[in-house]
Amino acid sequence: QVQLVESGGGLVQPGGSLRLSCAASGIFFGINAMGWYRPAPGKERELVARITSGGSTNYADSVKGRFTISRDNAKNTVYLQMSSLKPEDTAVYYCYGQILGALYRAPYDYWGQGTQVTVSS
């Protein structure tokens, strides 16, 4: 019923910037939170950045000061502005959304297909 569509990944040199976008489409009541995750050693994935419906944000320590998450509520879209990119940022970035169902407003977790970010000289 809900699909998360990501865009904006690509190849960039160290120190460069990229902006990722993720739009939620389908039938739903609302969105509790959206964010971005990437694989990490010893874990399926780690939180990169997250933003709630109230506007609160969370960032991984490794990206604080370099990445900024934002949202466009009218478009049901979340963005991740990535600056001062490092080779260690190279990963598949997955969009996450906790979406409230249309009928009972129950929360469900959704994931995008992932978009590749490669930081290399």
Side-chain angles (χ1 to χ4, degrees):
Q1 297 185 44
V2 178
Q3 185 174 359
L4 303 180
V5 180
E6 302 150 318
S7 62
L11 174 65
V12 65
Q13 293 184 340
S17 299
L18 285 173
R19 190 176 80 153
L20 307 183
S21 299
C22 176
S25 62
I27 306 300
F28 54 89
F29 176 78
I31 300 173
N32 278 348
M34 296 185 73
W36 296 91
Y37 290 75
R38 66 190 183 189
K43 301 171 63 177
E44 285 192 16
R45 53 191 175 268
E46 68 173 356
L47 173 70
V48 177
R50 180 177 182 266
I51 186 166
T52 70
S53 61
S56 298
T57 58
N58 294 295
Y59 295 94
D61 288 341
S62 60
V63 308
K64 286 181 179 178
R66 299 188 298 119
F67 292 8
T68 301
I69 190 168
S70 61
R71 70 186 195 276
D72 184 334
N73 292 335
K75 297 181 179 180
N76 294 318
T77 299
V78 65
Y79 305 94
L80 185 67
Q81 178 66 49
M82 304 184 295
S83 300
S84 301
L85 283 162
K86 305 174 181 179
E88 51 262 45
D89 294 319
T90 296
V92 178
Y93 285 72
Y94 295 91
C95 180
Y96 161 83
Q98 187 175 81
I99 310 297
L100 300 176
L103 183 58
Y104 296 110
R105 295 163 171 75
Y108 295 92
D109 294 337
Y110 291 90
W111 294 93
Q113 294 295 311
T115 184
Q116 177 70 48
V117 172
T118 303
V119 185
S120 176
S121 299

